[in-house]
Structure formats: C-alpha cells, structure tokens
Amino acid sequence: MAAVQDGPNEPEREKEIKTETLNDATGNHTAAIGGVLSTSPVATTSVGTPKPSPSVGADEQQTLLAVLQFLKKNKLIESVDTLRREAGILEDADDSQTAEGGVTGVGAGVNVGVEGGDASLFSRVSGATAAPSITIAPAPPKGGEDQPDVNVVLSAYSQQGDPALYQVYYSGLKNFIESVLDCHRAELSQVFYPLFVHMYLELVYNNHENEAKAFFEKFSGDQECYYQDDLRVLSGLTKKEHMKGNETLLDFRTSKFVLRISRDSYQLLKRHLQERQNNQIWNIIQEHLYIDIFDGMPRSKSQIDSMSGSLAGEAKREANKAKVFYGLLKEPEIEVPLDDEDEEGENEEGKPKKKKPKKDSMGSKSKKQDPNAPQQNRIPLPELKDSDKLDKIMNMKEATKRIRLGPDTLPSICFYSFLNAYQGLTAVDFTDDSSLIAGGFADSTVRVWSVTPKKLRGVKSAADLSLIDKESDDVLERIMDEKTASESKILYGHSGPVYGISFSPDRNYLLSCSEDGTVRLWSLQTFTCLVGYKGHNYPVWDTQFSPYGYYFVSGGHDRVARLWATDHYQPLRMFAGHLADITCTRFHPNSNYVATGSADRTIRLWDILNGTCVRIFTGHKGPIHSLAFSPNGKFLASGATDGRVLLWDIGHGLMIGELKGHTDTVYALKFSRDGEILASGSMDNTVRLWDSVKAFDDIETDDFTTATGHIHLPENSQELLLGTYMSKSTPVIHLHFTRRNLLLAAGAYNP
C-alpha cells in the first residue's frame, strides 16, 4: 500500500486517495464490500456494530443510501449494483436522495480532551449541504441518531485496526507533517512519539507480533533522541503478557499524553484527518492524547524541545495556575547580644558602625511580612525551644561575618573525599552549622563524623545519670560520657543499602532511608534508632527534614511521596501523581510546600496543607536527581541525568533558564546563603558555580506570556558560568554552603 500523501489541490489525486482510504478500511474494495453485503445485507447501529436486516426499514435505508453515495462517488459500479440488487433499492431512489441534498456529514461533538478546541473534529461534509449529527464509532451519538453516515458504516471495519495498515497510517501522517510550513511542522511533529508508542502497543496488545516488530523497526529511528531509553524498554515488549508487568508502559497507556499546540497548527491537523477520514489515528488521539490549544504564534523547535521529554508530555497550563505562597515566614524577633569580640571592638573607630547596621538589617528582615508568604499559622510548626533560640542567635552572628559572594568574589571550596569507601557511598549530608557530616552506605550502615575538634559523645548510662545534679548550669555537658568520645560513630539497623540521609535543623536527630522500604530516625545523643517508619512498600530513594524540624518527607520506588511527623508512625499526607520512581525530595524554605523530582522526568510541587499538586515542571530529558530552592523561596533549580540544570519561577510556574556545561548526571545543587551563587556538582567530577543573580534578573517576569505559557530561553549558559573546579577522580554527590558562605563538597574517591 502506497503511503497516503497530502494533495488537497489535485482533484484526480484526491479521488485516488479516497479510494485508498476505502481500501484501508476494507482490504479489497470490490470483493470485500460486495461480498459481505451480498451474503448478508447489513445496517449499522449508532455505535457501528453490523446487524442482520432482512427487512430494510427507514433507518437502514438511510444507511444503505449513504453507502451507495460513497460507492458511486468512487466509481465502484459493481459494488453499487450488487448492493442495490441485494437490498432491493430502486435505481432512482438514491438519485432522488442526492437531488434533495444528500445524506452526509459527521458532526456530533466528539470529546477530544482539547482545551478550547473544536469539539466536532470530524464534521466532514462530503459534497452536500445538510449535515446530520452522528458521532464516529465507537462513541455513542449525541444527536441525530436517525441519520447515520457512511463513516459510521466503514468505521465498523476500520475499528478492527488492520495490522498491515498501521505503517500506511503513520507514513501518511508523517508525509503530511513534513510537507507543511516550517512554523507548523515543529508543533505537529510532537504527535509522532505518542502516536508511535500507542500504535505499537495496540499492535502488541492485539497479538500482532510480526507487524509490531516491523512497525517498530521502521519508525523508531525517527523519534527524538531523548526518548531512546523509553524506546529501549518498549522494544522489549513484544507480547501482550509483557505489558502486564511493566507499570511505566501501563501508565503511558492509561494516562493522557499532553501536547501543547497553537490553534493554527491544530486546525491543519484537524483538516488533514477530516480529509483522510483516518479513524485509526483519530481514535488514538481521542483516547490517549490531550491537546492543549493556545491562541498565538506557533512555538519554535527550540521552545518545544526545552519543555519536552517527560513520560507524559508537557504539563497542562491549568496545572500551573494555582496560587503558590512562595514567600518566607516572618522570623521570630530575637535579641542578639553583643559577644566579647564586639565589646572589645567598641574602642576601634569603625567597628560598631559596621556591625550595628548589619544587625539592624537582620532585625528589619524579620519584622517585614512578605506579601507572597503564607499565613504564619497556615500549617502548625513546632514552637522554638531555648536551644533553638540560641542557635538562631549564633546563626545571626555568623551572618554578620558572611562573605558577600558575586562574580568577582567566588567562594572558597573545601572538598571532603571519602577514601577507601568500598562500602559504597550512596548519600551525604552536613548539619546546618557544618559541624557534622554523615554518609549512607551500600552495606546498610550510616556513619557520622565530627568535622570540628569536638568529638562525638554519647549520653551516660541511666545509673550514672541519676548521680548528676540536675540543677547545675552545665548539666548538658555533665550528661555526656567522655569514655565514648570518638571522631565517628556507626549506626546499624537497616537491612539494605542506605540511599538518603538528612540531619534535623537542631542537630539532635538524623533520618535515613533504605532499600528495605523504611525510614529510620536516629538520636545523635545516644546514637541509637528511635523509630522505624514503615509505609513504603519498595526502596525509599530520598528523605529530607523540614527547615523547621518535626516534619519530614520521603519518596521512593512506589512513586508516592509521603509527609511524616516525627511523633506519628503513619504518614500525614501522601502525594501521588508521578508515573515513575520519586528520586529526590526537597522542602520549600517556608515549609508549606514539598518538591519531588522523578524518573518520569517531571518535577512536582505539592501543597502540604491539602496534599494537592500545585506545579508540574517538564523539560528534563532524564531522571531528576537534585533539587534546590533559592533562599528567598521564589526559584527552584533542578539537575538530572541529562547533565542540564534548569531554573524555574515558582510563582509563574515557568522555566526561566537552562545551564549547560556538565557532561554527566547533576547529583547536587545548592544556592549560597544569600542566593547570589548556584553551585552544581556532577558525576563528571566537577563543581560548577553559576551567577544566579544574573540568571534571574535577565528574566522580566512581567513579560511572561502566561496565556501561552512559554518563553524564549536565553542561550547564555557560558556567560553565567563563573568557574569550573575539577576533583581528581571524585564524583560530587553533595554540596553545602556554611553560614559564612564557604562551599563544602563531598563524594567518594573513585580510583
């Protein structure tokens, strides 16, 4: 069968195409239609199911007349005579019907799942003015059920999906899209991949193994390079039984693939499908695709590519329209006492003047209420203990000595290499004050080190504690046992590799998650496991404490993120929506939201208050492995196996930047304390520093075309790159900025 070409301006070619369309539907136009009808005259019900009809009634006669009109138009004289003879229709009956205006047209609203789209996609009128309303099978008609159309009759055959014709259908659409104007071609080319996958799966599902293999071999090379991993999985699915065990492909088959297309491009596709009456492709579009139509200029290839690549296409525009309170919570007002250094410096002329404004600015920051911030009590947060207040005072003092970073003042970088880590280092974390470092290992252990001269000590035994004077000022020091002092501690408890760890803000606890499906909470006073949280059924890839403590989030292979509180053994919230493993989790600085990155190549932002998904970001071409919020809460950075770092505006729900340079998975991201620098660490053994201020300032958020939901990304990665730092042979898996803006990096040496 020749590929169907588009030729709307050539009448002869049009006639030939329509004959081919009939061939596609029936196999052999004279034998099939003549043969079937001569054996048993049929009339078609509204859903396109043939039924025997010994006596032709009014409804059946309308159907038969419609078929006759189609056959006559295509000069299938032998079939016309056979049909007339078997159905007992007089020669002038269909002629008089033509004179009256004809029985043609399909126009009942077919629900495509198209936002703002034309509901009656197949309102085809084949040469007459009247347009009775009939829905294409298999959807039931929504009006005018007594006037069926020839399309309904033929769809009874085309619905069977002749496996030999799948290549013809796909080639016909491919040739059409390659012949349209460049501005539309890029947008319409988006349909290739989802159509290819669903047509292949349909062939496999209906046990057409050889046709499926031939279809895959012919067209798999035409797909975008960033779908290669999915195609590799797809190529292994050659039997219906294989599909049952593949969750990702079942998700692909049951969830709608979202395409964002301009109205002009959509009209072109609609017209083409109408003219070809290609029900096979239309049924796939109707069942498996969601076409998000926008008004305006079609997007360019680069704009489409920047947002493509996820398992389920782009995010629908309404998915990113919810209000997000990305501002920071008001800090509690704490008086910062002057320390000895400050008092000594009072005599020096410039010193108090320098320090006082800084402390005032810290205070004024806490007094102002951010208009974009959530209400202070929107979610219940733990009350500040005295030790927390002391820590905040220390933090403020450190902040006065913080180095202001920028393009001309880059941070010093201190790299922690784990030597001889044959247990397989899988995760690293630092405490906020940079005094402790912990590592998770493939041998199921968690190891904690002190990176200050102060050694790690456990609490004394109960017998010894009873002898201590509890009223003394240094009771916290007295309860610690000097005999247990050491530079590191090993925590045993997991029964599988540890994939994620996180220190609590107050440094009293440590979380770890493992392949064994549990999240464990460890005490850093006794170095024992306090709780094992069991909720995940499969490996847990990541966990993280809230910036305010108490809450924590976990995500894993079961594709569901869970929000927990340390004093509840069951999750408070479950965030379901990803189509593949959740690989990384991060709390927003105000603790009201959680971001999750997934192997489905999307990032989702979840509202903790009600568990809803308020943002979906697409654009990465590989599983996402790192996330970082900017200190002001307005922006999010993400890194993935595609080596790219993408920047997102949370308020507008749009991608605003793309940082290219890494040649391997970006495993660690961190903003400096004031947000001027973004550091990225990768499996390519490098740490790169980016000018985040310039990246965000270059984008004027007021100019965002939120109606279309896309912008043109500036190609300025190299301008934003401030420095690249190579390790000897150590992949970077964690980054941390100290309170004074020294950058700490960590990884296991790979000899």
Side-chain angles (χ1 to χ4, degrees), residues 249-261:
L249 265 298
L250 284 174
D251 276 328
F252 194 94
R253 200 162 180 271
T254 53
S255 62
K256 298 238 180 192
F257 193 94
V258 181
L259 304 174
R260 195 176 296 171
I261 296 179

Side-chain angles (χ1 to χ4, degrees), residues 46 56 74 114 199 205 215 227 330 443 516 542 562 591 601 630 706 713:
S46 59
V56 180
N74 287 282
V114 177
M199 291 174 90
Y205 192 76
F215 182 81
Y227 291 123
K330 189 178 171 187
D443 67 353
D516 62 18
D542 197 20
R562 288 167 168 79
S591 206
R601 309 185 287 276
S630 62
T706 49
L713 290 176

Side-chain angles (χ1 to χ4, degrees), residues 377-636:
N377 59 353
R378 187 170 182 265
I379 59 167
L381 293 171
E383 286 185 18
L384 283 180
K385 303 192 292 286
D386 288 343
S387 57
D388 297 329
K389 290 177 181 174
L390 281 171
D391 196 52
K392 283 200 174 291
I393 289 170
M394 287 300 296
N395 196 350
M396 289 177 183
K397 286 183 177 180
E398 292 283 317
T400 62
K401 301 168 185 174
R402 182 181 299 158
I403 294 171
R404 184 82 188 207
L405 300 178
D408 302 323
T409 319
L410 298 181
S412 298
I413 307 176
C414 178
F415 202 104
Y416 287 86
S417 286
F418 289 74
L419 300 175
N420 306 318
Y422 303 121
Q423 307 90 343
L425 180 71
T426 49
V428 176
D429 195 29
F430 287 91
T431 52
D432 184 65
D433 69 349
S434 315
S435 62
L436 301 176
I437 181 174
F441 293 88
D443 67 353
S444 311
T445 62
V446 178
R447 295 161 192 254
V448 185
W449 287 268
S450 171
V451 291
T452 64
K454 198 174 177 182
K455 293 191 174 182
L456 299 177
R457 298 170 297 170
V459 176
K460 288 178 179 175
S461 65
D464 292 339
L465 288 174
S466 61
L467 306 174
I468 293 174
D469 177 11
K470 296 172 182 60
E471 301 301 320
S472 62
D473 294 338
D474 60 346
V475 64
L476 292 176
E477 187 64 28
R478 289 189 182 194
I479 63 172
M480 307 311 290
D481 189 355
E482 286 297 332
K483 294 172 189 170
T484 62
S486 63
E487 289 179 356
S488 68
K489 298 282 185 184
I490 303 178
L491 309 177
Y492 297 99
H494 283 295
S495 57
V498 176
Y499 291 120
I501 51 176
S502 177
F503 281 106
S504 65
D506 62 6
R507 302 180 300 286
N508 287 329
Y509 305 103
L510 175 68
L511 282 170
S512 62
C513 61
S514 164
E515 185 187 59
D516 62 18
T518 66
V519 180
R520 287 179 178 264
L521 181 71
W522 306 86
S523 166
L524 296 180
Q525 305 295 329
T526 60
F527 297 99
T528 56
C529 180
L530 302 176
V531 196
Y533 300 96
K534 296 176 181 178
H536 293 274
N537 299 321
Y538 296 101
V540 187
W541 302 128
D542 197 20
T543 186
Q544 202 214 7
F545 257 116
S546 154
Y548 293 88
Y550 185 62
Y551 300 109
F552 64 93
V553 64
S554 62
H557 180 59
D558 59 9
R559 303 178 292 180
V560 177
R562 288 167 168 79
L563 176 75
W564 310 75
T566 49
D567 58 358
H568 288 65
Y569 67 89
Q570 289 186 324
L572 308 178
R573 291 276 183 276
M574 295 175 72
F575 306 121
H578 281 294
L579 299 180
D581 298 30
I582 292 175
T583 46
C584 54
T585 56
R586 280 295 172 274
F587 266 94
H588 189 275
N590 67 23
S591 206
N592 278 247
Y593 300 93
V594 163
T596 54
S598 168
D600 68 8
R601 309 185 287 276
T602 67
I603 300 149
R604 288 174 180 254
L605 189 70
W606 309 87
D607 190 339
I608 282 176
L609 184 67
N610 48 34
T612 55
C613 179
V614 292
R615 292 287 181 268
I616 302 175
F617 296 132
T618 64
H620 277 295
K621 310 298 185 275
I624 293 149
H625 281 286
S626 52
L627 295 168
F629 283 99
S630 62
N632 62 9
K634 285 178 70 174
F635 306 107
L636 175 68

Side-chain angles (χ1 to χ4, degrees), residues 46-47 108-109 135-143 145:
S46 59
V47 292
T135 308
I136 291 180
K142 299 182 182 173
E145 293 168 5

Side-chain angles (χ1 to χ4, degrees), residues 170 173 177 183-198 222-224 226-227 252 257-262 265-266 269 285 289-294 298-301 303-310 312-315 618 710:
Y170 194 84
L173 186 66
I177 289 175
C183 62
H184 300 297
R185 190 185 307 148
E187 285 203 323
L188 293 180
S189 295
Q190 295 178 83
V191 305
F192 284 148
Y193 175 67
L195 275 179
F196 169 80
V197 172
H198 285 301
D222 299 341
Q223 309 308 320
E224 297 284 0
Y226 41 78
Y227 291 123
F252 194 94
F257 193 94
V258 181
L259 304 174
R260 195 176 296 171
I261 296 179
S262 67
S265 300
Y266 170 69
L269 180 65
I285 288 176
L289 272 58
Y290 180 98
I291 299 179
D292 189 358
I293 294 177
F294 64 88
R299 292 187 296 171
S300 66
K301 180 82 168 82
Q303 284 177 320
I304 292 167
D305 280 349
S306 66
M307 303 299 289
S308 304
S310 91
E314 293 187 42
T618 64
H710 59 262

Side-chain angles (χ1 to χ4, degrees), residues 694-714:
K694 187 174 181 190
F696 298 140
D697 285 354
D698 283 354
I699 305 296
E700 287 295 330
T701 50
D702 296 337
D703 295 341
F704 281 155
T705 50
T706 49
T708 54
H710 59 262
I711 58 164
H712 184 70
L713 290 176

